[in-house]
Amino acid sequence: MTTAHGDSCREPQPDGPGSEPVERERELALLGELTRRTAAGAPGLVMLEGPDGIGKSSLLQALIADARAQGLRVVHTRAGRPDHRLPLSTVRDLLAGLDVESMPPITWPEPPGPSAPGAQVPGPADVDGAGVPFDVLGELQETVRSAAESGPLAIVVDDAEEADAASLRFLAHGARRMAGLPVLMALTRRSGTHVPALNEVAALPLCRVLRPRPLTGAGIGLLARRLLGTDTDAAFQASCLAATNGNPLMVTRLLTSLRDEQLPLTADRFTSVSEQDIPAFRVRAARLLHRHPEATVRAARALAVLGDEVSPETGARLALLDSAVFARSLLALVFIGLVTSNADGTWSFAHTLLRNVVLGEMSEEERDIAHGRAARLLHDAGASPGEVAEHLRQAPSTTHQSWARTVLREAAREAMLRASPMRAMQLLRPCVPEGTEEDCEPSLLVELGVAESRIDPEASVRHLSTALDRATGPELRLQALRSLAEALTRQGQVARAVGLLSRYRAETALPLSGTADPQLVEARLLMAATGNRAAFTELLEAVSFDLSLPGDTPEERALLAARAAVSVTRLDRVAEAVAAARAVIGRGTATNDAPLFLATAASVLLYADLPHEAELSYHRLLEGTDALLDQTYPSLLALSAEAHQRLGSLDPALRATATALKDVNVSRASRYEALPLAVRLHALLDRGDLAQAILLEKEIPDPVPDDSWQWNEVLCARGRLHLDTKDHERALAVLKECARRQAEWQRISPAVSPWWYWAGHAHLALGDRGAAAALAEEAVTGARSAGLPCALGSGLELWAAASDGERPLLLEEAEQVLMGTRAALVRARVRVSRGKALQRLGYTKDARAVLRQGWEEAYDVGSRSLYTVAHRALLATGARPRRPVSRGLGALTQSESQVARLAASGRSNAWIAESLYVTQRTVEVHLTSVYRKLGLSGRRQLRDVLESENIDNSEHGQ
């Protein structure tokens, strides 16, 4: 017979002949010892107990093979077969294998007292276990004794709990009378079954009870190697263990199903597999469930419908079961490995696959009804709208009820507050079935239209238009008007949007409490247009860009910020735009002003080559913005990272982009993730981590099909990467595409994007100095006129690289321009270029001094690539540079670190000196050293640096 890792007698196993159970060494050793002792003339009694599929039958097969090898006669059967319906039928089937010459006939006694005429005499089918005559049991036991006299005997019964009561009575009777007989009795039973006769056997001193344990991850790996002939990694083994709870038969079915479906044995692929992809696994799990009573099946379905962490009370009510019955049913599910109990007293399925198996057994109508009842139960119990709404989404027959619509709308509002318009849309759409818009409340249509605005603009316009036609209240009409104007702008219908804006201005001529100012609506239209190039271009011709607004109200400040952002990117009145942005930031408050427009004002400073001011504004906004509730938070992180990258603060830039891209599938990134991806690429290249940049770039999707301006920055970073990998022609092609798109978006300021700088260097690498000089001259002209110091410094450096005679003068001017900025990396790059130019002209001493400055600055900002270039240039001057002075928190001594933390906490120098038992002069010396190593100017900056270090350490579990 084949040996399986699960219950081989129920269905064929895929292991093949000669295979052995996995991770069953302890059990096999005990069974082997029992067979050897019986072969030597000693009795033995063993009971294997466990859930279906744990491997009880495979152990019995191993015992049978070993017993025969030891010379034992083996008789075995499986109880519960269709022909085992009569009393003692299991025993008769078992003892028939003894082939004794004369088995005593089994007679049943007459019932006491006279029988009435025509009354039936009870036969064997009417006898239960308690009614088996003792002499019948004695005769059967004598048969066993006679057989044992001719040699050692093994009696094996699988699924003993399924045997008829009379046969169970005999097994218990014989187990108590094995003394002196060379008989080994082996029984198996399912966990959780309450059979008095088997309980009696298990309690006997002679009986050894074995409870096989689930497989471990290593055991699953060994089984996969035996079944499939391939090795699996620990991640896959852990995923398989979670899906099967280590049940050997479930593991076997899952592995062979994955093999048959030709699915890769990897954790990533495994976690995405649904139960429809592995039908054999689904069938096996369902079969395990349906071996149990109807109450257990109902409990499993209630648990599957309610989801994880189900309370016993709610589950019992949904399953229409008594609490005690429900609890017993859950224990039965635990025994077969489908369900696990949690520490807080709730219950969950062992894996999502198992839950899906149970849900798949239910019809669509049954799931609809069950989810509707679950929603009502949870609602009446005071559950949150979000929790109740999850069930209502799957119960379409319930959503027409008024209480259900109320819950869905409440949950949708919560979703909008948490910046999840997709979820809000999914919750609201069941409330507005297709074709019923005319019968719905206008307020409901407005809520749905707002949620759909960024996801499905066409549906948003349709619903908002219907709401506007039917709305009667002034506030609802105005809300529908402004929401529809934004949706039309996103869809590219600018003329209609501008017409609605005029209509909105007319309807708000009289003050109405709670309505939005037309200036705020116009600002939102401008921001909405940044997602559609055609709409953006058309809107620029339809609205004013007056920057003389005083900014006294939040509405004025919002419009001022939006107009300033457009102006600065177009290189139009940059100084006025900067003044407007500073006014918005200075007068705005987190209470009155939306973070979106405060961030827009900070972006004006960023694109005006004031990254330090911009970063401070972003920092304040991030501190006051809820990461979970505000949809501007990821954008703030990306913009803050860009400010850090422009300043040369590469580590903070990489940390911010890592946070912004957390849980993002880069291969499916949208325009909302494009900016942090671009900044991260630039920061990796600045740091000299080319390998990581290449890996990241390979994951990023092709940005060309999406004309959103955010993808322009990805093209810029990608072109720079190709430049660093010496693929100059490809780099130039990508950067030219970036230039074309930037021009279409009218983002022509050289401070908006450095595409022109890297394109110039690509031209130089290809030998085209004229094209590089033209790009540099255009950038320098624009930067001079607008007062953009960082762009001017980079432009002068590029111009110097494209020229010959004027190179030192241009680089000296670039260095002077950058001295007034905090763009440390750009300044270091210019210094290294100037030092190399001086060296070529023979000014070795001057070159050495300039190169040393650039070398140390490159070291300070952590740019390994620039540091290497500077180091080689220094060596070429004949210098033998020592290691630069260590910078950063890691360079502080223990005493300096102690003083720095006390100073950052607000302690005075005198207090620190007294606390540490040193002089105030010592404290001052330590602080001076701290400021030098950290590149700071005072205690306020010191506090910010130390706080950011604490945050970073906590994120890394330090």
Side-chain angles (χ1 to χ4, degrees):
M1 295 180 64
T2 60
T3 303
H5 299 285
D7 293 340
S8 59
C9 52
R10 293 204 177 88
E11 57 182 272
Q13 298 300 318
D15 296 33
S19 60
E20 295 182 356
V22 172
E23 291 190 327
R24 295 292 180 258
E25 292 78 9
R26 179 180 66 90
E27 292 85 353
L28 290 173
L30 176 59
L31 295 177
E33 178 187 353
L34 290 174
T35 56
R36 287 190 295 273
R37 292 179 59 186
T38 302
L45 180 60
V46 63
M47 180 175 291
L48 296 167
E49 182 177 308
D52 289 337
I54 201 64
K56 304 184 297 294
S57 295
S58 64
L59 288 171
L60 281 190
Q61 296 300 323
L63 181 146
I64 290 171
D66 191 28
R68 286 174 175 162
Q70 295 288 341
L72 277 68
R73 296 177 63 193
V74 179
V75 292
H76 61 95
T77 188
R78 179 172 65 87
R81 298 206 311 255
D83 57 340
H84 285 189
R85 298 181 181 278
L86 298 176
L88 291 176
S89 55
T90 299
V91 172
R92 289 175 180 276
D93 185 53
L94 180 67
L95 299 185
L98 291 177
D99 296 328
V100 293
E101 295 183 358
S102 59
M103 180 180 292
I106 300 174
T107 58
W108 303 95
E110 294 289 338
S115 299
Q120 294 183 353
V121 178
D126 301 306
V127 180
D128 60 14
V132 178
F134 187 81
D135 56 345
V136 171
L137 296 176
E139 291 174 356
L140 292 172
Q141 180 63 20
E142 186 59 34
T143 301
V144 173
R145 182 183 297 277
S146 299
E149 288 178 354
S150 61
L153 175 66
I155 299 175
V156 180
V157 181
D158 201 0
D159 292 343
E161 77 280 358
E162 301 289 345
D164 60 274
S167 295
L168 287 169
R169 175 82 185 279
F170 165 72
L171 291 174
H173 177 86
R176 290 194 301 270
R177 291 164 174 77
M178 294 178 61
L181 295 179
V183 176
L184 172 60
M185 181 183 290
L187 311 175
T188 73
R189 73 165 174 177
R190 188 189 316 128
S191 299
T193 55
H194 180 69
V195 181
L198 295 181
N199 295 343
E200 182 181 339
V201 173
L204 293 173
L206 181 63
C207 185
R208 303 292 298 271
V209 179
L210 289 181
R211 296 182 177 89
R213 298 178 181 178
L215 296 179
T216 64
I220 291 173
L222 176 58
L223 185 54
R225 193 178 308 118
R226 289 187 183 177
L227 286 172
L228 312 179
T230 183
D231 290 326
T232 55
D233 57 24
F236 171 80
Q237 293 163 12
S239 298
C240 190
L241 179 62
T244 61
N245 221 17
N247 185 292
L249 183 57
M250 298 284 280
V251 174
T252 299
R253 284 303 176 205
L254 181 55
L255 291 174
T256 53
S257 298
L258 291 173
R259 178 195 62 194
D260 295 342
E261 297 295 325
Q262 298 183 347
L263 299 174
L265 302 182
T266 60
D268 292 341
R269 183 65 186 88
F270 176 76
T271 53
S272 65
V273 170
S274 68
E275 76 282 359
Q276 287 81 11
D277 296 322
I278 41 179
F281 177 74
R282 183 176 70 251
V283 169
R284 182 61 205 177
R287 186 174 298 177
L288 284 175
L289 175 62
H290 286 290
R291 281 178 58 85
H292 290 263
E294 177 64 23
T296 304
V297 176
R298 284 161 58 186
R301 290 184 171 184
L303 192 63
V305 168
L306 287 168
D308 287 341
E309 300 182 355
V310 174
S311 67
E313 297 79 10
T314 306
R317 293 180 65 187
L318 182 60
L320 300 176
L321 295 173
D322 178 79
S323 297
V325 175
F326 182 74
R328 287 197 299 271
S329 300
L330 289 179
L331 286 176
L333 294 172
V334 170
F335 284 135
I336 61 176
L338 295 182
V339 170
T340 58
S341 60
N342 305 314
D344 58 357
T346 59
W347 305 82
S348 306
F349 274 93
H351 194 276
T352 304
L353 283 176
L354 299 173
R355 181 190 177 200
N356 290 340
V357 165
V358 178
L359 288 174
E361 289 281 299
M362 303 171 65
S363 67
E364 185 175 342
E365 182 181 2
E366 287 174 330
R367 289 196 298 270
D368 182 353
I369 295 172
H371 280 292
R373 290 188 59 243
R376 189 70 206 195
L377 285 172
L378 292 171
H379 177 64
D380 294 344
S384 67
E387 187 177 356
V388 177
E390 279 303 308
H391 292 283
L392 289 174
R393 282 181 56 196
Q394 302 174 72
S397 64
T398 308
T399 53
H400 70 281
Q401 300 179 25
S402 59
W403 72 270
R405 288 192 177 186
T406 301
V407 170
L408 288 169
R409 293 177 71 174
E410 289 179 6
R413 293 182 190 118
E414 288 182 359
M416 291 299 290
L417 287 175
R418 294 182 177 274
S420 299
M422 174 64 78
R423 173 170 165 77
M425 182 185 73
Q426 292 170 344
L427 293 171
L428 290 173
R429 278 188 169 174
C431 300
V432 187
E434 193 71 27
T436 65
E437 291 86 351
E438 295 294 335
D439 301 324
C440 290
E441 299 176 43
S443 60
L444 174 58
L445 291 174
V446 170
E447 291 175 15
L448 176 57
V450 170
E452 293 171 325
S453 179
R454 295 191 179 189
I455 303 164
D456 188 351
E458 184 177 349
S460 174
V461 168
R462 185 175 69 253
H463 290 134
L464 289 170
S465 298
T466 304
L468 182 60
D469 292 340
R470 298 182 57 239
T472 55
E475 291 189 17
L476 184 60
R477 283 183 56 77
L478 292 173
Q479 184 183 4
L481 265 173
R482 63 176 180 265
S483 300
L484 180 56
E486 288 184 47
L488 288 168
T489 302
R490 289 193 178 93
Q491 204 178 14
Q493 300 184 45
V494 175
R496 284 187 63 190
V498 173
L500 286 176
L501 177 60
S502 301
R503 183 176 170 184
Y504 188 91
R505 287 195 179 103
E507 293 200 19
T508 55
L510 297 176
L512 291 172
S513 175
T515 62
D517 190 279
Q519 291 176 323
L520 179 60
V521 177
E522 183 178 345
R524 290 189 176 278
L525 289 190
L526 281 172
M527 299 307 296
T530 59
N532 185 313
R533 183 180 57 78
F536 181 74
T537 304
E538 187 176 350
L539 193 62
L540 295 184
E541 305 299 326
V543 298
S544 167
F545 283 89
D546 179 17
L547 296 176
S548 63
L549 295 174
D552 294 331
T553 65
E555 293 78 16
E556 282 186 349
R557 291 194 289 272
L559 184 55
L560 199 56
R563 288 176 175 177
V566 175
S567 295
V568 76
T569 57
R570 299 170 71 192
L571 206 62
D572 178 28
R573 296 171 295 161
V574 174
E576 291 181 52
V578 169
R582 285 172 172 162
V584 170
I585 293 171
R587 298 177 186 177
T589 63
T591 306
N592 298 323
D593 295 74
L596 171 65
F597 295 109
L598 293 176
T600 302
S603 299
V604 174
L605 301 177
L606 181 68
Y607 296 146
D609 261 355
L610 299 168
H612 179 64
E613 281 190 59
E615 198 283 319
L616 289 176
S617 297
Y618 292 138
H619 181 70
R620 285 194 293 267
L621 285 170
L622 284 169
E623 285 186 335
T625 302
D626 192 316
L628 296 177
L629 299 182
D630 201 307
Q631 59 186 352
T632 62
Y633 189 81
S635 299
L636 280 172
L637 276 174
L639 291 166
S640 175
E642 184 173 4
H644 278 299
Q645 187 262 333
R646 292 187 181 209
L647 289 168
S649 304
L650 303 183
D651 286 341
L654 289 170
R655 285 198 299 270
T657 55
T659 304
L661 296 170
K662 184 180 180 182
D663 300 326
V664 170
N665 185 340
V666 175
S667 62
R668 299 179 182 178
S670 67
R671 66 185 177 95
Y672 300 106
E673 293 86 40
L675 186 57
L677 284 170
V679 174
R680 189 165 185 83
L681 266 180
H682 278 300
L684 288 171
L685 294 171
D686 285 336
R687 197 171 65 177
D689 201 340
L690 185 60
Q692 287 296 321
I694 291 173
L695 289 176
L696 177 62
E697 189 271 340
K698 286 181 178 178
E699 293 186 64
I700 299 175
D702 181 14
V704 173
D706 188 341
D707 70 349
S708 302
W709 67 264
Q710 292 90 338
W711 287 112
N712 302 356
E713 307 309 320
V714 173
L715 286 171
C716 175
R718 180 170 280 176
R720 180 186 174 184
L721 175 63
H722 295 322
L723 190 62
D724 281 10
T725 57
K726 310 303 181 185
D727 192 349
H728 303 134
E729 292 184 355
R730 188 178 179 189
L732 186 58
V734 172
L735 291 166
K736 282 184 174 180
E737 172 63 17
C738 177
R740 182 190 67 79
R741 291 167 58 123
Q742 295 283 28
E744 288 181 345
W745 274 98
Q746 301 187 37
R747 295 169 64 85
I748 60 175
S749 171
V752 168
S753 173
W755 69 265
W756 54 270
Y757 177 83
W758 303 112
H761 281 282
H763 280 300
L764 289 175
L766 294 171
D768 192 346
R769 288 180 175 269
L775 285 172
E777 184 176 2
E778 183 180 0
V780 167
T781 301
R784 282 192 196 280
S785 64
L788 306 173
C790 299
L792 179 57
S794 295
L796 291 168
E797 183 212 339
L798 178 61
W799 204 346
S803 62
D804 288 325
E806 301 179 9
R807 180 175 297 184
L809 294 177
L810 289 171
L811 290 170
E812 184 176 357
E813 181 185 357
E815 187 175 353
Q816 292 299 320
V817 167
L818 292 168
M819 287 298 293
T821 72
R822 299 195 183 186
L825 182 58
V826 177
R827 188 170 60 244
R829 188 181 292 132
V830 168
R831 279 180 172 155
V832 172
S833 297
R834 180 169 169 246
K836 292 169 67 177
L838 290 171
Q839 167 66 11
R840 281 193 293 270
L841 293 174
Y843 300 106
T844 304
K845 184 177 180 181
D846 292 340
R848 192 177 299 163
V850 174
L851 282 170
R852 187 177 296 276
Q853 279 186 297
W855 177 62
E856 290 183 348
E857 288 178 340
Y859 180 85
D860 289 343
V861 300
S863 178
R864 294 192 295 269
S865 54
L866 183 60
Y867 172 81
T868 301
V869 172
H871 189 263
R872 290 173 180 170
L874 262 178
L875 293 176
T877 66
R880 294 295 178 264
R882 297 179 179 180
R883 182 182 177 87
V885 177
S886 296
R887 304 294 174 92
L889 291 168
L892 301 183
T893 66
Q894 184 176 357
S895 299
E896 289 170 349
S897 179
Q898 191 175 21
V899 169
R901 295 187 183 282
L902 291 173
S905 66
R907 305 298 185 180
S908 66
N909 288 2
W911 191 95
I912 297 172
E914 183 177 354
S915 175
L916 300 180
Y917 302 101
V918 296
T919 65
Q920 288 193 45
R921 176 59 182 162
T922 301
V923 173
E924 293 170 0
V925 169
H926 282 328
L927 284 176
T928 301
S929 178
V930 168
Y931 296 152
R932 176 176 56 81
K933 290 181 178 180
L934 299 183
L936 306 177
S937 59
R939 295 193 180 210
R940 182 174 181 179
Q941 291 179 331
L942 178 62
R943 183 169 58 251
D944 293 340
V945 169
L946 294 180
E947 286 178 354
S948 66
E949 182 213 17
N950 291 333
I951 293 172
D952 187 43
N953 288 342
S954 65
E955 289 175 350
H956 290 81
Q958 298 178 357

